[in-house]
Amino acid sequence: MKKFDFLSILFGLLLSVIALYFMLRPSTATSAPASTIPVVKVGNVSWDQTEMTIADVKAFADATAFVSQAEKNGGGLSYEAGFVKKPGWTWRTPYGVPAKASEPAVHLNQAEAASVCSFYGKRLPTDVEWTSAAFLEQRETPPVGFTKDQRYPFPGGATPEVSHCLSGCGDYRGVAPAGALNRGTGHVPAGTTKPGVNGLLDMGGNVWEWTATERNGGFITRGASWW
């Protein structure tokens, strides 16, 4: 989501993001596999607190023999002077090398992201749902620094500093190997930044997040930038 983290751009709009999965569980969800991601309530809806992780996508892939489009294409996209194909960059190896299970899953298109959500009895949020959860504080007794029913300028609250951004906002530094990116330090593991509005993490930075809302022939992405 994410204090300008050009990862939104770095990973592209089509093959890169999957983050933060909204999970309005259907009644059949009791039989769905268990996710490793903590859940928070926003109003009467349950949300994953962080981006979808590589660990959860791996469980999905192991159970379904899933192969992403980026894997089929030999690599995903990164933004340099325009979008550039990066051989070997997939959700398993976001910077071309094996990633930690706790890293956010990227290089997944919208249909793939939706399929992973469905596997866990979840779904992607609409654009309206995402925006409401990211900016409007809805907790009855929010912690110090947040006020119920207040709309904030950033998903992190009054400042974008709670999330990882291009050069590592605050104390954060990305995990991309030296030289992998032509700018920035890459994303940080999910759950390592500070909670923002409604206790959600990375709604304004780290990686782009897919929504279920279509516009102009594609799907709206959110996050990865505090703009």
Side-chain angles (χ1 to χ4, degrees):
M1 92 220 339
K2 290 86 169 241
K3 325 355 129 185
F4 203 19
D5 164 338
F6 269 100
L7 269 183
S8 38
I9 301 176
L10 290 173
F11 287 114
L13 296 179
L14 294 179
L15 291 178
S16 39
V17 205
I18 187 173
L20 209 109
Y21 289 116
F22 176 76
M23 37 183 284
L24 181 58
R25 290 193 175 107
S27 58
T28 56
T30 53
S31 60
S35 167
T36 63
I37 302 170
V39 174
V40 296
K41 260 317 197 41
V42 180
N44 62 354
V45 174
S46 296
W47 284 72
D48 281 356
Q49 189 177 29
T50 73
E51 304 93 328
M52 179 64 73
T53 63
I54 288 176
D56 273 16
V57 179
K58 183 178 186 304
F60 165 73
D62 289 346
T64 63
F66 166 70
V67 179
S68 68
Q69 191 61 51
E71 291 174 284
K72 295 174 184 177
N73 292 345
L77 302 178
S78 178
Y79 191 86
E80 295 180 359
F83 287 110
V84 178
K85 179 179 176 180
K86 291 291 188 176
W89 288 29
T90 71
W91 66 267
R92 296 178 186 271
T93 55
Y95 302 110
V97 296
K100 295 179 180 179
S102 60
E103 290 181 40
V106 295
H107 297 300
L108 295 169
N109 62 36
Q110 199 272 355
E112 292 167 344
S115 293
V116 179
C117 289
S118 179
F119 178 75
Y120 289 102
K122 309 175 185 182
R123 66 173 173 84
L124 293 171
T126 65
D127 186 56
V128 170
E129 290 167 335
W130 192 99
T131 302
S132 175
F135 294 100
L136 178 63
E137 179 58 62
Q138 299 169 53
R139 289 173 288 185
E140 287 299 327
T141 55
V144 175
F146 295 95
T147 303
K148 188 178 186 300
D149 296 328
Q150 181 169 332
R151 187 172 295 277
Y152 288 89
F154 305 105
T159 171
E161 290 298 315
V162 301
S163 288
H164 174 69
C165 49
L166 182 62
S167 297
C169 282
D171 298 327
Y172 310 119
R173 181 174 177 78
V175 298
L181 299 172
N182 70 336
R183 58 179 174 175
T185 63
H187 61 234
V188 299
T192 60
T193 56
K194 296 176 182 178
V197 175
N198 293 310
L200 298 171
L201 278 67
D202 293 333
M203 292 291 271
N206 216 20
V207 293
W208 279 116
E209 300 172 1
W210 286 115
T211 73
T213 300
E214 293 187 69
R215 182 173 65 188
N216 298 329
F219 287 89
I220 295 174
T221 57
R222 288 289 182 177
S225 168
W226 52 256
W227 282 358

